[in-house]
Amino acid sequence: MSEATTPRFRLKPLHMVGIALLVLAGWLGFTSMGDSLTPYVNVSEAKASGRNVQVMGYPQNQGTVEAGAFRFTMRDEMGQPIEVLYRQPKPGNFDQAISVVAIGAFDESQGIFVADDLLVKCPSKYQEDTQAAK
């Protein structure tokens, strides 16, 4: 009687290197993507995070421009105030803003949120003016 032989699958060294490179590329892509995500947080979480985050809030004043930087105060949805420093000129539509998203990080040494980018949401020109309707 002859013994049944089962074929064995063997990986060639070149295949093993290819698989290792694919796994490494996937891991690097996943970790770098996770670092680049900026989650939405409230003011207290922004102060504690120490990394880039997005804080949505409502402007409390028209702000001031000092040496080319724009500084203003906003309150998040919980009512917590935070001072924001944006090292760019004041956005042209900021005076009409109903809400602002500041993207950046909290600087503990200055006690201020330093924004790399500001997203300003203005009322839609397509919405009815409630005062005109009255």
Side-chain angles (χ1 to χ4, degrees), residues 42-106:
N42 60 29
V43 169
S44 59
E45 292 170 336
K47 289 179 179 180
S49 74
R51 58 174 283 208
N52 271 8
V53 293
Q54 298 184 47
V55 180
M56 198 280 276
Y58 307 97
Q60 298 300 299
N61 56 26
Q62 295 304 314
T64 59
V65 177
E66 304 164 358
F70 177 55
R71 183 184 296 245
F72 68 99
T73 303
M74 72 177 192
R75 289 189 184 275
D76 68 2
E77 293 180 330
M78 307 278 227
Q80 298 175 320
I82 191 168
E83 192 170 349
V84 179
L85 175 65
Y86 179 54
R87 292 190 175 124
Q88 300 289 325
K90 179 179 179 178
N93 56 353
F94 187 83
D95 294 335
Q96 293 86 30
I98 56 173
S99 68
V100 176
V101 176
I103 303 170
F106 187 75

Side-chain angles (χ1 to χ4, degrees), residues 71 83 85 87 106-114:
R71 183 184 296 245
E83 192 170 349
L85 175 65
R87 292 190 175 124
F106 187 75
D107 185 352
E108 290 185 36
S109 64
Q110 296 181 22
I112 193 168
F113 188 85
V114 179

Side-chain angles (χ1 to χ4, degrees), residues 7-61:
R8 289 185 58 195
F9 179 73
R10 299 188 110 202
L11 283 177
K12 296 179 180 176
L14 186 60
H15 291 143
M16 291 190 321
V17 169
I19 291 171
L21 286 175
L22 285 174
V23 169
L24 178 65
W27 178 77
L28 287 174
F30 181 75
T31 57
S32 66
M33 186 178 84
D35 291 341
S36 67
L37 295 176
T38 52
Y40 276 94
V41 297
N42 60 29
V43 169
S44 59
E45 292 170 336
K47 289 179 179 180
S49 74
R51 58 174 283 208
N52 271 8
V53 293
Q54 298 184 47
V55 180
M56 198 280 276
Y58 307 97
Q60 298 300 299
N61 56 26

